Amino acid sequence: MSFSRPLPHTFYAEDALSVARKLLGHCLVVRSEEGVTGGTIIETEAYCGALDRACHSFRYRRTARTEPMYGPPGSAYVYLVYGIHHCLNVVCLREDEPHAVLIRGLRPTWGLGVMARRRGVPSRANDVPNPRLADGPGKVCEAMGIDLADNGTLLTGGRLMITEERSSGGCIVQGPRVGLGDVGEFRGLPWRFMLTG
DNA sequence: CTTCAGATGCTCT
DNA sequence: GAGCATCTGAAGA
């Protein structure tokens, strides 16, 4: 099993909207003791830093939790939501403008058995991918074995990486972001990106 | 297919 | 103490 090279840090040195769109079709790969898992990124959301009321770094809020958002582009920001689920974000733009892209969904590609076991669902015969295995941000982290130990690590060639290879085909659809509280005019903005097909 | 309630623990006020 | 960038299973249409 071999993978293409990881995306370089320059890929991430753009605003969250650009990176959220560009990431669709690339593959998130995680190496672990249990085996390698990988999946094509098919859903993302952009969180646009200091000006975005829905973003953890709104108005440059800088706390122990949000500190990784001020790290280098191409690093991971992982946090716990609802006390139960982890969410994986890719830090982008610049260290002084903390944008991030939430990875909301994958099409499982490698390590289907490992992913199914972690998720507590039955494996499918003949390596038939289960499209429901990682179709949500919490599910992505659980299936890929991502947790706070990965917080702040680089995605440009470590345990976690996003590879250069991009699956062809499909159509990009945009819509409003999901699960936000009272964020005023930021609620309806089409900052969620999905790859169909 | 849909809606709905509950789980659960950290973060910030 | 309030509020979460969520998921699941049960119940109804």
Side-chain angles (χ1 to χ4, degrees), chain A residues 108-180:
Chain A
T109 307
W110 293 300
L112 306 182
V114 174
M115 294 173 79
R117 177 150 29 91
R118 286 184 181 134
R119 291 270 300 108
V121 302
S123 280
R124 295 192 174 180
N126 303 322
D127 280 350
V128 177
N130 176 355
R132 310 292 311 277
L133 217 42
D135 62 341
K139 292 166 147 192
V140 167
C141 287
E142 187 168 34
M144 303 292 279
I146 295 167
D147 61 23
L148 290 174
D150 299 299
N151 197 16
T153 65
L154 285 168
L155 296 161
T156 49
R159 196 181 96 86
L160 272 53
M161 61 184 207
I162 299 175
T163 59
E164 261 181 349
E165 186 182 7
R166 189 174 195 184
S167 77
S168 57
C171 195
I172 295 178
V173 178
Q174 289 185 60
R177 292 177 292 182
V178 181
L180 308 180

Side-chain angles (χ1 to χ4, degrees), chain A residues 62-156:
Chain A
R62 191 160 185 169
T63 64
R65 181 177 65 152
T66 65
E67 188 61 29
M69 288 196 70
Y70 295 83
S75 54
Y77 168 44
V78 182
Y79 66 94
L80 192 60
V81 262
Y82 299 106
I84 304 172
H85 305 290
H86 295 282
C87 288
L88 169 67
N89 294 255
V90 179
V91 174
C92 54
L93 196 53
R94 299 186 297 271
E95 297 188 13
D96 58 347
E97 284 298 336
H99 287 211
V101 174
L102 173 66
I103 307 299
R104 285 194 61 89
L106 302 177
R107 180 171 34 226
T109 307
W110 293 300
L112 306 182
V114 174
M115 294 173 79
R117 177 150 29 91
R118 286 184 181 134
R119 291 270 300 108
V121 302
S123 280
R124 295 192 174 180
N126 303 322
D127 280 350
V128 177
N130 176 355
R132 310 292 311 277
L133 217 42
D135 62 341
K139 292 166 147 192
V140 167
C141 287
E142 187 168 34
M144 303 292 279
I146 295 167
D147 61 23
L148 290 174
D150 299 299
N151 197 16
T153 65
L154 285 168
L155 296 161
T156 49

